[in-house]
Amino acid sequence: MEPTDYSRFLSHWVEKFDPERSWLLGSGAKPPLETEIQASWQNLVTSNTPEFDREARRLRNRMQAGLIYRLLVGSDSFADTVRVTTQLAQSALNATLQHHRIILDQAFGEPSNPAFSILGMGKLGGRELNLSSDIDIFCVFAEDGETAGPRVRDHGEYFTRLTQQVTKSLETQTADGIVARVDQRLRPWGSAGQLAIPLIACGDYYEVHGREWERFALLKARPVAGDLGLGSELLQTLKPFIYRKYLDFGVFESIRDLKSKIESEVRRNGRETNLKVGRGGIREIEFIVQSLQLLRGGQIPKLQVSGFLNALQALVDETILSQEDGRQLRDDYLWLRHVEHVIQAENDQQTQELPSDCGQLATILGFETASHFERHRRVVTDRVHEAFAAFMHVEPPIQKSCIEVRDEVRQRLDSFTDDPVCERLEPIARNRLITLVNQLAPELSFYPVVVTDRMLRFIGTCIRRTVYLSLLSENPATRERMLDILNRSSWVTERLIEMPALLDELLMLDVSDAVLSREMIGQELNMRLLRVDPDDPEHLTEVMVQFARGLAFRVAVFEIRAEIPLMQVSDQLTWIAEAVVSEVLRYAYSEMATKHGQPVRIGDNREDALGLSILGYGKLGGLEMSYESDLDLVFVHGIDPDQLTDGAMPVEGGLFVNRVVRRVIALLETNTRFGRLYDIDTRLRPSGRSGLMVVGIDALKKYLDESAWTWELQAFVRARPVAGDALLGNKLEMLRTEILRQPRMLDRLLRNVVDMREKMHSHFDAGVNKTGFDLKHDRGGIVDIEFMVQYQVLAHAEAHPELAAYTDNIRQLDGLSQSGCISIRDADVLKRSYVRYRALIHEAILAGRKGRVSVDMIESERCQVEAIWAHWMSN
């Protein structure tokens, strides 16, 4: 069959514009390059509007005739067809936009910020337009403002009018047809929203009002016309909305809802043979791929691509889909899309409906009869539907119907669901809640009733966020994991109630990813902060709290499940704190430098130098952070305190660094809806509370050399730079080594250490009694071990410089035994006891108890530590 015998559109076009078929069999017989397409449209930009509209339609029709001809003779591949179709639409958009901008700028003047971007959605965004497809777009502009005149208009009015003119030029039906049908319903607020939206309002919409289906819509979004950088900036800010960092099983319920609506529409309108939305149609294949993109794209950036075939290949490359399944889906998709294009080629119409008589369609597709075509179509659609149904299969609930639900559990669940708050839920939300509660009833009966109370507290905090109810309802393994965690830890329960989004963490418990390096933690935090407006410190602090709490939660879950050892737990918690402190310091410094300019740094001309460093003491300095540790910080600078900064509002260097430090502390201690970052203790600075908030490095050296108390030198044993200027940090490390290696009068040193320990003991009124053993302060506990280690390091670092290399107790004990300063046996006893005590403290924190245990639990360790104290520390 000749192409013109099948396609009425092609036949009419040839008859009117190319009766000799010279163009069709010449230039039109091969797919044009993108540069050729763009040049053809650019030639129209400066025409007057009637001429532009007329020639745009004729250009489109000529290109469409070539597309249809090459499709029907089989010379163009699927990739050729969708490439040319997409480039045709994109070039038309750009040319039409430029044409109308010239006209509007003449009338109203250029906007104060002219940045304007058209985002392509759906198949336009995915570079896979149908042969005769609508184009889905929405338009954004950079910011509010006004045009320069002569008739001033605000940006909202100007860009709305621009959008209207572009749309009118493209889709108005004339004697020459249309250029493209334009659909803008996927924009924020849909048909009720503005046609052109400022960037910040667009971001706010998705953050506050974004719905699940809009994540699907944005999967293929990309800037296609205007300022492409502005469109890319918007999509970058929307990535956390589109791609959740953790597995997002709420996607499945959204797919089911969308699919159910489509199937209802199909049945209602008799569209069972629709190639797109019918059973086993294109939409089902797209659902599989797009769902896996949303489900896993937050963890696998390679899945964050807009085109269907690229996404499918990425799923295969990442072994999320098998090679065989990927190949079959690709083959079926390409066949259905080819049939779709051939159907549309008949009359240049946007349709996926099979004709009532498929004879001609079957012939042009190469089938002997319509029956042969129909049999093949059913094989393909049956296979697609089976794949879709298998993909949508949800893990069935664990069958526990034979388990009797305990009365106290049932009473609590019934009371919860009968509460007026639950009664007033929307029907869908209430149904999901009831489903989940019924699933939980037998499962909760395995646990103490406190677990029921904890679970209901969690559900109460997220009762209107039905994605969490769906996630728990559809994933018995996640429920089981969560109940186990709630049973073991009240601390984890409180974190989940504060931040229900942490539930996602329970889906990602892969022990191979449990331990992140310091660099990885810092990079992850930095990437999150890149999406935060630097002029919004409240949001910045909130993002950091979410980050720190989220990672600490992960660590806690792994520790509770005994999947990572204590030392790695402490490392992770320490590195989280370091990353946060580093970013806060960088932000506070930048804030002050923007306002006052740069200070004068002493002996350091580097442009990127801060001249400010933070020493971490105690648990932070010793890499022994726990879940509730505060941060002992000392701020040190290398800035000339008397010289003025070089900004428009100069201040003395001393005042500059003081303001930076106070800002750092304020940010770290700011309360957000998720809590605060850390409690800060700066009392270890020279002269304590009466001393300066930030001290010069020379002044710190002088103080440590001449005035420091012995207990301050003990604290310095565990000090290390944790944030700030790297060069200054190196100087502080050398200063620490120098101070620790100074010669000491050992009798005096021993007396001072013992006296301070006695004062602490009296202050805390510690002692073995009927309330149990205080792991930290009682005799034979953690403080005794720390004091003994600090004494030994201060006593022997002069002769053994290697003792100054580390700040944590375990490696200091290793160094002391390796140098012969203490016996291997004593070192092993103290290390074993120290780790045991700290593990029990972690266990107590996670269980919501104080750090006291039964004396019987640690009697052996306590006695051995006390014996070593008596041996080492007796005067």
Side-chain angles (χ1 to χ4, degrees):
M1 179 184 291
E2 282 293 317
T4 50
D5 294 336
Y6 174 79
S7 172
R8 296 186 185 94
F9 172 86
L10 182 60
S11 175
H12 293 158
W13 185 87
V14 168
E15 181 180 346
K16 185 173 183 180
F17 294 103
D18 193 23
E20 301 298 324
R21 303 195 181 192
S22 57
W23 181 86
L24 195 65
L25 299 176
S27 299
K30 61 181 185 299
L33 300 174
E34 182 175 12
T35 53
E36 296 172 337
I37 298 172
Q38 290 172 344
S40 298
W41 284 95
Q42 286 299 307
N43 289 337
L44 305 181
V45 169
T46 57
S47 306
N48 61 57
T49 298
E51 182 182 358
F52 177 89
D53 287 348
R54 181 180 65 254
E55 294 305 317
R57 281 154 179 75
R58 291 180 177 179
L59 176 58
R60 181 266 177 192
N61 290 340
R62 187 179 68 186
M63 291 187 169
Q64 190 74 355
L67 275 164
I68 291 174
Y69 175 77
R70 295 190 302 273
L71 170 76
L72 297 180
V73 300
S75 63
D76 273 5
S77 66
F78 172 79
D80 290 328
T81 299
V82 297
R83 174 187 66 80
V84 174
T85 308
T86 300
Q87 291 170 358
L88 167 60
Q90 194 163 330
S91 296
L93 275 169
N94 268 297
T96 309
L97 175 61
Q98 292 173 46
H99 172 79
H100 287 289
R101 286 209 73 156
I102 294 170
I103 297 171
L104 289 184
D105 284 357
Q106 289 172 348
F108 305 121
E110 187 174 333
S112 57
N113 187 335
F116 174 81
S117 184
I118 299 178
L119 288 156
M121 310 287 280
K123 288 185 166 53
L124 173 60
R127 296 182 175 87
E128 53 197 25
L129 270 180
N130 297 332
L131 188 70
S132 182
S133 179
D134 294 350
I135 57 173
D136 295 300
I137 63 170
F138 79 79
C139 304
V140 295
F141 58 93
E143 59 186 358
D144 291 323
E146 293 182 338
T147 63
R151 291 182 288 163
V152 175
R153 295 289 185 273
D154 66 54
H155 284 181
E157 181 179 349
Y158 173 93
F159 288 116
T160 295
R161 184 172 298 198
L162 177 61
T163 303
Q164 290 169 332
Q165 293 301 320
V166 169
T167 303
K168 181 180 178 182
S169 267
L170 292 172
E171 68 177 10
T172 298
Q173 184 79 37
T174 72
D176 295 302
I178 64 171
V179 177
R181 292 169 292 272
V182 180
D183 190 337
Q184 299 184 74
R185 290 174 297 175
L186 293 179
R187 68 186 186 270
W189 300 115
S191 300
Q194 298 170 248
L195 286 175
I197 306 166
L199 189 70
I200 190 168
C202 193
D204 290 344
Y205 167 82
Y206 287 109
E207 182 174 345
V208 177
H209 303 288
R211 290 157 290 180
E212 204 69 23
W213 69 263
E214 289 175 299
R215 295 175 60 204
F216 282 90
L218 287 167
L219 266 178
K220 295 185 178 183
R222 68 180 176 92
V224 295
D227 188 325
L228 303 185
L230 178 68
S232 296
E233 179 184 346
L234 172 63
L235 293 178
Q236 187 64 33
T237 65
L238 296 182
K239 273 194 176 181
F241 169 71
I242 305 169
Y243 299 103
R244 304 284 163 79
K245 181 182 177 185
Y246 306 112
L247 288 176
D248 182 10
F249 284 92
V251 167
F252 285 114
E253 186 145 359
S254 300
I255 299 168
R256 273 199 297 276
D257 289 344
L258 289 171
K259 182 61 177 170
S260 176
K261 291 174 183 176
I262 292 169
E263 287 175 342
S264 297
E265 181 184 353
V266 168
R267 288 191 297 271
R268 185 169 59 252
N269 298 324
R271 302 175 68 188
E272 286 81 359
T273 57
N274 187 288
L275 289 174
K276 182 176 181 180
V277 299
R279 179 184 183 277
I282 296 166
R283 181 64 59 83
E284 290 190 353
I285 305 178
E286 291 176 333
F287 267 155
I288 295 172
V289 172
Q290 292 172 357
S291 303
L292 288 171
Q293 280 185 275
L294 290 182
L295 189 69
R296 305 295 297 274
Q299 307 88 50
I300 306 174
K302 288 182 180 179
L303 300 182
Q304 296 177 15
V305 293
S306 58
F308 171 86
L309 292 176
N310 289 336
L312 178 59
Q313 186 59 51
L315 290 168
V316 172
D317 292 343
E318 297 295 327
T319 67
I320 297 169
L321 287 175
S322 70
Q323 290 277 356
E324 181 180 353
D325 288 345
R327 179 192 55 77
Q328 191 62 67
L329 286 174
R330 184 180 188 278
D331 290 349
D332 291 341
Y333 174 82
L334 290 176
W335 189 83
L336 289 169
R337 289 295 307 273
H338 178 63
V339 176
E340 173 189 42
H341 285 164
V342 174
I343 291 173
Q344 293 174 353
E346 182 179 9
N347 291 306
D348 187 26
Q349 290 182 345
Q350 168 72 345
T351 180
Q352 289 87 17
E353 295 287 348
L354 289 173
S356 55
D357 181 356
C358 290
Q360 281 196 320
L361 174 64
T363 300
I364 201 75
L365 288 170
F367 290 91
E368 291 183 11
T369 66
S371 297
H372 285 89
F373 163 73
E374 179 60 16
R375 280 198 296 272
H376 184 78
R377 185 189 72 83
R378 287 193 175 277
V379 168
V380 172
T381 55
D382 285 349
R383 186 165 55 225
V384 169
H385 188 70
E386 287 173 9
F388 178 76
F391 173 72
M392 290 302 301
H393 173 70
V394 177
E395 183 183 355
I398 298 172
Q399 296 300 316
K400 296 187 177 180
S401 57
C402 58
I403 300 169
E404 183 177 350
V405 177
R406 298 202 336 251
D407 288 342
E408 58 266 43
V409 171
R410 174 54 65 192
Q411 290 169 5
R412 282 168 165 78
L413 295 179
D414 289 345
S415 177
F416 182 81
T417 54
D418 290 341
D419 187 275
V421 173
C422 298
E423 292 282 0
R424 290 194 294 267
L425 289 174
E426 294 292 330
I428 292 177
R430 180 161 177 80
N431 288 339
R432 291 176 181 173
L433 173 65
I434 297 300
T435 298
L436 175 60
V437 166
N438 289 337
Q439 290 168 328
L440 284 169
E443 296 167 353
L444 286 166
S445 296
F446 280 101
Y447 295 96
V449 73
V450 67
V451 178
T452 300
D453 295 333
R454 290 173 179 175
M455 176 58 89
L456 291 178
R457 284 185 63 207
F458 170 77
I459 294 174
T461 64
C462 57
I463 197 167
R464 298 187 186 278
R465 305 179 204 178
T466 57
V467 63
Y468 296 118
L469 305 183
S470 299
L471 189 154
L472 286 171
S473 179
E474 296 184 359
N475 293 276
T478 301
R479 290 201 306 275
E480 183 177 0
R481 184 176 290 169
M482 184 175 181
L483 294 177
D484 178 57
I485 295 296
L486 295 186
N487 182 44
R488 298 193 198 191
S489 176
S490 63
W491 185 91
V492 166
T493 302
E494 297 306 317
R495 300 296 81 76
L496 278 168
I497 290 168
E498 290 171 353
M499 289 175 57
L502 292 175
L503 181 62
D504 291 338
E505 296 285 355
L506 295 178
L507 297 168
M508 292 293 290
L509 293 183
D510 185 343
V511 71
S512 65
D513 299 324
V515 178
L516 304 177
S517 69
R518 169 66 177 85
E519 291 73 21
M520 291 171 64
I521 293 172
Q523 289 168 5
E524 172 65 22
L525 177 57
N526 184 259
M527 288 299 295
R528 293 203 193 184
L529 296 181
L530 287 176
R531 300 190 288 265
V532 177
D533 183 350
D535 295 325
D536 190 353
E538 289 79 12
H539 186 208
L540 175 131
T541 306
E542 190 170 279
V543 168
M544 285 197 285
V545 171
Q546 289 178 288
F547 171 82
R549 294 280 176 109
L551 284 190
F553 179 89
R554 285 182 78 241
V555 173
V557 172
F558 282 119
E559 182 175 15
I560 290 167
R561 293 164 59 89
E563 291 177 331
I564 56 175
L566 173 70
M567 305 307 290
Q568 288 185 337
V569 169
S570 295
D571 285 346
Q572 295 290 285
L573 297 176
T574 300
W575 293 338
I576 294 167
E578 284 185 33
V580 167
V581 172
S582 294
E583 290 295 341
V584 168
L585 174 60
R586 186 179 295 114
Y587 179 83
Y589 191 98
S590 175
E591 203 176 42
M592 293 303 160
T594 300
K595 184 175 183 181
H596 300 298
Q598 293 288 342
V600 176
R601 291 173 283 274
I602 300 171
D604 190 347
N605 297 322
R606 293 173 301 140
E607 291 184 3
D608 60 344
L610 294 182
L612 183 62
S613 188
I614 301 178
L615 279 172
Y617 281 67
K619 298 298 183 188
L620 176 61
L623 293 99
E624 296 171 355
M625 290 282 289
S626 183
Y627 300 102
E628 296 183 349
S629 297
D630 58 9
L631 302 184
D632 294 304
L633 305 179
V634 171
F635 297 85
V636 185
H637 74 84
I639 288 170
D640 190 323
D642 301 317
Q643 294 289 322
L644 294 177
T645 58
D646 62 4
M649 299 175 60
V651 295
E652 293 178 341
L655 180 58
F656 176 89
V657 293
N658 190 64
R659 287 182 177 176
V660 171
V661 168
R662 292 190 180 279
R663 184 63 169 147
V664 168
I665 295 172
L667 289 169
L668 289 171
E669 293 190 328
T670 295
N671 286 313
T672 74
R673 57 188 171 134
F674 303 118
R676 62 170 59 182
L677 283 165
Y678 295 98
D679 291 318
I680 306 302
D681 191 339
T682 61
R683 290 174 297 175
L684 288 173
R685 66 186 187 271
S687 302
R689 287 194 178 94
S690 63
L692 297 172
M693 285 298 297
V694 55
V695 61
I697 186 170
D698 292 337
L700 177 63
K701 180 180 186 308
K702 180 178 175 62
Y703 180 84
L704 293 168
D705 276 335
E706 301 175 3
S707 308
W709 296 82
T710 298
W711 66 266
E712 291 177 298
L713 297 176
Q714 290 178 244
F716 204 54
V717 170
R718 290 163 65 79
R720 64 184 180 87
V722 296
D725 192 300
L727 184 59
L728 183 58
N730 291 336
K731 292 179 180 179
L732 288 169
E733 289 178 342
M734 289 188 288
L735 174 60
R736 176 177 174 274
T737 299
E738 179 184 336
I739 294 299
L740 296 187
R741 290 188 60 193
Q742 288 179 355
R744 314 200 184 275
M745 297 176 61
L746 296 187
D747 289 346
R748 180 179 176 183
L749 173 66
L750 178 61
R751 184 168 60 253
N752 289 343
V753 172
V754 172
D755 288 348
M756 176 54 67
R757 179 68 186 100
E758 289 302 318
K759 287 179 182 178
M760 287 183 64
H761 190 269
S762 298
H763 175 75
F764 286 101
D765 192 26
V768 177
N769 54 49
K770 63 182 180 182
T771 64
F773 179 79
D774 187 306
L775 291 161
K776 184 173 182 180
H777 295 292
D778 274 356
R779 296 192 188 279
I782 283 177
V783 174
D784 276 2
I785 297 174
E786 292 175 341
F787 268 53
M788 285 191 284
V789 173
Q790 291 159 14
Y791 164 73
Q792 293 287 357
V793 171
L794 289 171
H796 298 292
E798 179 188 9
H800 300 280
E802 66 274 13
L803 296 179
Y806 300 110
T807 59
D808 60 287
N809 280 287
I810 299 301
R811 285 186 293 184
Q812 286 173 344
L813 282 165
D814 286 337
L816 287 166
S817 64
Q818 290 165 7
S819 64
C821 299
I822 65 174
S823 69
I824 293 175
R825 177 191 172 279
D826 285 349
D828 288 344
V829 166
L830 294 179
K831 286 192 296 183
R832 187 169 58 253
S833 300
Y834 193 72
V835 170
R836 167 78 167 147
Y837 291 159
R838 290 190 55 230
L840 289 170
I841 285 181
H842 278 223
E843 183 181 307
I845 291 171
L846 293 172
R849 305 192 308 267
K850 295 186 179 296
R852 285 183 177 270
V853 297
S854 166
V855 178
D856 294 342
M857 290 181 63
I858 44 75
E859 183 64 12
S860 174
E861 290 87 352
R862 181 186 69 82
C863 291
Q864 291 180 85
V865 172
E866 282 200 73
I868 295 174
W869 178 277
H871 178 60
W872 289 3
M873 311 299 285
S874 298
N875 290 314

